[in-house]
Amino acid sequence: MSSRCELCCREPVETTVHHLTPKELGGTFMPTADLCIPCHKQIHSLFTNQDIIRLHLTELQALRENERMAPFVRWIRKQPPSTIPRTRKSNHVRRS
Ligand SMILES: [Zn+2]
Ligand SMILES: [Zn+2]
């Protein structure tokens, strides 16, 4: 599926559904965002579900303005939509 990433606003990109409030924490029927794969991976490698709630990152605007996400968003915006940067597994947050 090709559409527009709601975080970096690139298009057309392949998007995946991100639950702004983690499903595990009650977000099943709450708002979702269509995010490109790099943006989506970045969120989950920087933040655990608990972090997302604790840091109030349940809105796109908050994610965009987060001091750890902002530099990534600025960078990814300049990348052509076809670019899928490799995210290293070791960056993944594995504590919860
Ligand atoms: Zn994106
Ligand atoms: Zn997600």
Side-chain angles (χ1 to χ4, degrees):
M1 185 177 108
S2 279
S3 54
R4 181 170 175 271
C5 172
E6 292 187 52
L7 194 60
C8 66
C9 301
R10 292 183 307 152
E11 62 185 333
V13 288
E14 189 185 335
T15 57
T16 53
V17 174
H18 171 64
H19 285 259
L20 290 164
T21 299
K23 268 191 291 190
E24 292 80 359
L25 297 173
T28 306
F29 302 107
M30 291 171 77
T32 59
D34 294 329
L35 301 182
C36 69
I37 291 162
C39 284
H40 202 174
K41 276 192 175 161
Q42 185 72 6
I43 292 171
H44 291 293
S45 58
L46 286 177
F47 311 109
T48 62
N49 288 341
Q50 281 80 9
D51 289 337
I52 288 171
I53 299 294
R54 190 167 46 85
L55 300 170
H56 307 289
L57 300 177
T58 53
E59 287 177 15
L60 280 168
Q61 193 59 27
L63 279 170
R64 246 182 239 128
E65 289 171 0
N66 177 272
E67 58 180 0
R68 293 167 77 193
M69 276 305 288
F72 172 83
V73 174
R74 272 199 299 273
W75 172 78
I76 194 82
R77 267 186 188 152
K78 293 182 218 136
Q79 310 306 311
S82 54
T83 306
I84 300 189
R86 287 187 174 274
T87 6
R88 276 165 300 161
K89 271 277 190 297
S90 57
N91 283 346
H92 271 78
V93 179
R94 282 277 172 243
R95 64 195 155 79
S96 57

